[in-house]
Amino acid sequence: MDENLTSDIHLADFILDLSNVVRMGAHPSLTYFDRLLSALKFREKDPGVRVYAVADKSLLGLRELPRDDRRTLARWREDGLIEVTGDADPRILELAE
């Protein structure tokens, strides 16, 4: 998944709200993000599709999220692969302009 994340909005093929994707199912998980990436790769016929992901700060501390997923999110944040903000929605709208 790391290879499909970009910190450069100008290189991104898609902007997404990572918080909403992770919380899509009955139990929050990065598996939903992995499935979305697979679908985007298939749709675009491009295994190198790039995603600019924005997450709500609350996602990083979500107790229902598996520990490994929380660690992955923290690493992505530290590495600058995801943008973390108080509320992702306004930031995503700003980026989409």
Side-chain angles (χ1 to χ4, degrees), residues 3-97:
E3 64 276 1
N4 296 103
L5 292 168
T6 182
S7 59
D8 185 343
I9 189 65
H10 301 291
L11 297 178
D13 300 302
F14 298 93
I15 301 169
L16 65 87
D17 184 334
L18 186 59
S19 300
N20 285 345
V21 172
V22 168
R23 292 177 175 138
M24 281 191 331
H27 304 285
S29 173
L30 282 177
T31 300
Y32 302 116
F33 178 55
D34 191 38
R35 290 177 184 167
L36 176 62
L37 283 176
S38 293
L40 290 173
K41 291 175 191 179
F42 179 79
R43 178 184 181 272
E44 297 297 308
K45 296 176 180 62
D46 179 7
V49 69
R50 295 286 186 191
V51 173
Y52 188 93
V54 183
D56 298 330
K57 186 176 181 181
S58 63
L59 181 66
L60 277 71
L62 188 65
R63 292 201 176 267
E64 296 85 7
L65 198 61
R67 184 184 317 258
D68 287 345
D69 288 0
R70 288 195 310 266
R71 286 183 186 144
T72 298
L73 289 170
R75 180 174 53 78
W76 286 348
R77 181 184 191 183
E78 290 171 17
D79 293 347
L81 293 176
I82 61 172
E83 181 176 339
V84 178
T85 185
D87 182 8
D89 295 340
R91 179 62 176 144
I92 289 170
L93 292 173
E94 178 185 334
L95 291 168
E97 291 182 343

